[in-house]
Amino acid sequence: MELPAANDNVNLSAYRPNLPLSVLNGKASSGGFVESDYYQSYSDGSSVASRASGALTGYETLDAPPHYDFYANTQAWGRRRRFRPSLIQLHGNPVDDSQPPMYEEMNAGQTGDTSEEDEEEPKEPPAEPTRFGWVQGVMIRCMLNIWGVILYLRLSWITAQAGIGLTWVIILVSSMITGITGLSTSAIATNGKVKGGGTYFLISRSLGPELGGSIGLIFAFANAVAVAMHTVGFAETVVDLMREHGAVMVDRTNDIRIIGIITVTCLLGLSMAGMAWESKAQILFFFVIMVSFASYIVGTIIPPSLEKQAKGFFSYKAAIFATNFVPNWRGPEGTFFGMFSIFFPSATGILAGANISGDLRNPAVAIPRGTLMAIFWTTFSYLVIVATVGSCVVRDASGSLNDTLASSTPMESCVGLSCQYGWDFSECINNKTCTYGLSNYYQTLSMVSAFAPLITAGIFGATLSSALACLVSAPKVFQCLCKDHLYPLIGFFGKGYGKNQEPLRAYLLTYIIASCFIIIAELNAIAPIISNFYLCSYSLINFSCFHASITNSPGWRPSFRFYNKWLSLLCAVICVVIMFLLTWWAALIAIGVVIFFLGYTLYKKPDVNWGSSVQASSYNLALNQCVGLNLVEDHVKNYRPQCLVLTGPPSSRPALLDLVNCFTKNLSLMMCGNVVTTGSSPSVLEKASSNRHVSWLNQRKIRSFYRGVVASDFRCGVNMLLQGAGLGRIKPNVLLMGFKKDWRSDSTLAANNYIEILHDAFDLQYGVCVLRMKEGLDVSNPPQSHVNQGFDGGPENSDITSPASLVRTSTTSSITVELEPQPTTVFQKKQGKRTIDVYWLSDDGGLTLLLPYLLTRRKRWARCKVRVFVGGEINKKDEQKEEVLSLIKKFRLGFQDVEVLPDIYENPQPVNVQHFESMIGRFRLDPNPKQDSDSDSDPPRQQEAPWMITPQDLERNMAKSLRQIRLNEVLQDYSRDAALIVITMPVGRRGVCPNSLYLAWLDILSRDLRPPVLMVRGNQESVLTFYCQ
């Protein structure tokens, strides 16, 4: 049809498909497909289905343009959420009554009447929780957590030991580590929407719950103990000030405990008051520290007084800078790594902003910008303080005003740089009794400052701000961990209160932990563990960034591009090295804790799926290994029985699965095949590909794949599985199925197709195994419409679906599956000291021997004795036994019991022969049919029914028929009490042996036997070898 031109003024709605009146009026029809019902779910009310008039303009169709709602997991207040139509709804037949599957983000309420929901909807929007920007929420918080007492009390001493040059190197190396970690954190934080949980959230969603959970626990604990550390640092400073003024409550230790408990209680109240109050307190602390810095800088410029000169301060001097630029190591800690281990903890704290990610207005912007700016400014402040204090203060001074350089003292006898400025500290330098100077006086910054109390205020601000930041970080991280339910007994602490969902219970737990360590008041032993926990977190963050980058997952698309995966890996390794350089035993403890919780999570396998890089790496590894197998030719030494098991729904034939699992678990491929033959409607497709089948297998702890196909008939579906299952060289080579015990009462076509499947498998070079059990295999009750009709008595026309097959979809994108029960089968029990009887009657390549050997490697079969039966002549019985036993020994199978059966060649009993003849009577062609003109139908012809048995067929296969009858008698005599019978399955020649006769052979061979019977036939290629190459 030729379309009109755009300027022909033709109404385009004329080319729109005509809609029924019920659609135009917005009413639902009595049945069938109603487009308006679907369209209303995907629009915001402006669709054609929501209009009362019949005027239609433009191309208004079910197709929807891209929209934010289609990808979001949450709904904006005040408007109805849109939903993307499914593919079935777009291309399905409108007259199909079957309900198309909805997307996971849809719930049941959105497809029905929403009037009740509208009535219950609140009139006003919910209160907006407090959210912070990148300056107040991240940068200031990180800077306060990085600055600490080391800045005020130890940085000048480190400068005296390492010199200005090496101290700069220590600062820059530390900042390089934290900077690269900041870049890695920024990359991870911008790869998707970040929620609360901070470090734990970033690591767990990147590396998975195994490493994320362990880091979440130790990081939350480290922050809780860090609260005690910083609080004790504050309490010690207060106690020292009190002692200077003669104020003592009990003694020094108890005074620290009392002041520490009071301080942490006040901080707890401030934290529980809400993030807004906590943030205001942090700003106050930041202002105090800035004032203390200003006081220090002004103090370096002001000309020094005599008291300050006596303590070694001479303002900016080039000679002092040059002397202090080189190191002057003193004491046992006087090494580069000794100074590095003391300084590095002062560079940590870069995750303080990320730890409150749930309280940030835009974490993807705030975390990178705030963290990197905090690292830059704190590094700059460290470098400036080192340069200024190293340019103004000498290393040694006595502090005595009487040590001025007398005019009579010769310059040659004066020791030290202070001689150039009129001071003689030679006596204390020679005696090593100097109490002032960079190397001896920890309060050098306070001495240099213009107003010393401001430095004390700065120490208070640094310690309290760090304690407050840790007191907020620990509960936030722990709350997110509790909500994920990775570990037992901690979910109680995950409850949130108020508009900000404050973790009050986690706050109290953190308070109790901090109070316990404050009461101990000896944190010198625990401090290295905390530093190592922080370093362990940094290492894993960097490794997370590297791992996510190296997997080349399409989902790794961080908006922050200024990172390098190899730098991240290098930094991760450096962090581990530094852990051992700081304190090796603390590093071992940290790594041991991580490994312990890692092992627990791997053992429990929590039901979470976060799309981690570990999953992407597993896919890459599996894909590369599969492709690599194509480069290696198959070898008989590496043969593994890779089994395609025709189970139907796996839950319907558990015994078949349990037996196959015994010789494929942790060894080779197992794939469950299900053929659905009841049409191709969406509900049928769902039955074939439902996740509930895989969930059932996982619940039963069976390591197997599942593949469901929809086909016009059962044989066609099995052919699809035989030819299409597998990947590369990892594909099935053995077909396992149950015996069709109802073949005589079922339709002749079904019985014929069953045998044709065996022939198809042989044509495709498959080995074939058929399992028969006296009680049957199919346990499904009531039977389901997608039970394979090809074996074990599955009904042909049954459309009953059990309630257990229903799948409910929730609004949280998680599928809730009601699984079928887990019945116990004989193959799950320990077999004890019974026997596995192997009837190796024909050589099929060795598969008949290999399967019993694999069974005996399992614990439940290990005590079973394997007996091998072979046919032979009575006068050569001993020779043939030795020959077979020698062959089995060369195969190293460990079978010692071999028995030759000459009586298998005897004639069977007449009663059993008569039973066999009655068994095939329905399928025999009458050689002289009676011609009855009144009959409505002619007797079947073999050309029209090739499964029928002619007298010639019966005569031609008489020897084989009698042998199967006789073999059943032998089995009854020798293997009545065996745990399992494995017997070589006969092969019926195509075109020579009718399918019904072949099926009768299998039936008569395995009938009326108490033990399970596994009939095995390999593909006539060797699966055993006694050669080493």
Side-chain angles (χ1 to χ4, degrees), residues 340-532:
F340 183 86
S341 64
I342 293 173
F343 173 80
F344 184 78
S346 67
T348 60
I350 62 171
L351 300 177
N355 287 336
I356 62 163
S357 55
D359 297 298
L360 300 177
R361 190 175 300 116
N362 188 354
V365 174
I367 292 176
R369 188 177 298 175
T371 303
L372 295 177
M373 288 298 290
I375 294 173
F376 172 78
W377 286 115
T378 52
T379 303
F380 178 76
S381 66
Y382 284 142
L383 294 175
V384 169
I385 290 175
V386 169
T388 53
V389 77
S391 303
C392 299
V393 185
V394 296
R395 283 191 169 100
D396 297 293
S398 65
S400 174
L401 295 175
N402 298 324
D403 286 340
T404 54
L405 183 64
S407 57
S408 60
T409 303
M411 292 294 295
E412 292 80 8
S413 62
C414 185
V415 179
L417 190 63
S418 57
C419 301
Q420 301 179 18
Y421 310 113
W423 293 85
D424 185 8
F425 303 134
S426 302
E427 183 178 355
C428 74
I429 292 175
N430 292 328
N431 297 332
K432 298 182 179 180
T433 58
C434 295
T435 55
Y436 289 93
L438 291 178
S439 297
N440 310 290
Y441 189 50
Y442 291 152
Q443 301 281 353
T444 300
L445 263 64
S446 178
M447 180 265 294
V448 173
S449 173
F451 186 58
L454 288 178
I455 299 298
T456 303
I459 295 175
F460 288 170
T463 53
L464 292 178
S465 63
S466 297
L468 188 59
C470 294
L471 186 58
V472 171
S473 298
K476 296 284 186 181
V477 173
F478 193 61
Q479 181 188 34
C480 183
L481 178 64
C482 294
K483 287 183 176 180
D484 287 336
H485 303 290
L486 299 183
Y487 304 107
L489 306 178
I490 62 173
F492 172 80
F493 299 100
K495 183 175 176 57
Y497 297 87
K499 61 181 182 180
N500 268 43
Q501 291 294 298
E502 295 291 343
L504 300 185
R505 297 175 180 177
Y507 275 124
L508 293 176
L509 179 63
T510 304
Y511 171 77
I512 293 173
I513 295 174
S515 299
C516 291
F517 282 96
I518 290 173
I519 291 174
I520 294 174
E522 282 295 333
L523 297 178
N524 291 335
I526 201 69
I529 298 180
I530 297 175
S531 298
N532 277 273

Side-chain angles (χ1 to χ4, degrees), residues 909-921 965 1004:
Q909 298 178 9
V911 177
N912 293 327
V913 176
Q914 292 175 6
H915 180 78
F916 178 75
E917 290 178 349
S918 64
M919 185 185 296
I920 63 174
I965 302 172
I1004 197 66

Side-chain angles (χ1 to χ4, degrees), residues 906-970:
E906 297 177 0
N907 291 327
Q909 298 178 9
V911 177
N912 293 327
V913 176
Q914 292 175 6
H915 180 78
F916 178 75
E917 290 178 349
S918 64
M919 185 185 296
I920 63 174
R922 176 190 170 195
F923 301 93
R924 295 181 66 174
L925 278 176
D926 190 351
N928 299 309
K930 296 180 180 179
Q931 299 296 330
D932 189 356
S933 59
D934 296 334
S935 60
D936 295 333
S937 59
D938 295 332
R941 302 284 185 183
Q942 191 177 13
Q943 292 79 6
E944 301 173 0
W947 54 82
M948 302 302 288
I949 305 172
T950 65
Q952 294 80 7
D953 296 329
L954 196 58
E955 182 66 27
R956 206 162 31 225
N957 295 280
M958 182 58 68
K960 278 193 173 182
S961 300
L962 294 176
R963 182 175 184 186
Q964 310 314 317
I965 302 172
R966 176 56 187 160
L967 282 175
N968 179 259
E969 297 173 356
V970 173

Side-chain angles (χ1 to χ4, degrees), residues 208-230:
E210 294 82 9
L211 286 172
S214 56
I215 284 298
L217 276 177
I218 66 174
F219 192 77
F221 178 77
N223 274 278
V225 180
V227 174
M229 286 187 60
H230 296 300

Side-chain angles (χ1 to χ4, degrees), residues 9-81:
N9 296 324
V10 177
N11 185 6
L12 294 177
S13 63
Y15 293 90
R16 192 181 191 276
N18 293 327
L19 299 180
L21 186 60
S22 61
V23 174
L24 300 179
N25 294 334
K27 300 177 181 178
S29 61
S30 59
F33 178 84
V34 183
E35 187 173 1
S36 63
D37 292 344
Y38 295 131
Y39 196 79
Q40 282 179 332
S41 299
Y42 308 128
S43 65
D44 53 2
S46 61
S47 68
V48 63
S50 64
R51 300 175 184 174
S53 65
L56 301 174
T57 59
Y59 293 104
E60 292 169 322
T61 68
L62 185 61
D63 259 340
H67 196 274
Y68 172 84
D69 284 356
F70 297 162
Y71 301 91
N73 291 331
T74 56
Q75 179 175 347
W77 186 90
R79 65 177 177 85
R80 181 176 298 174
R81 183 181 172 191

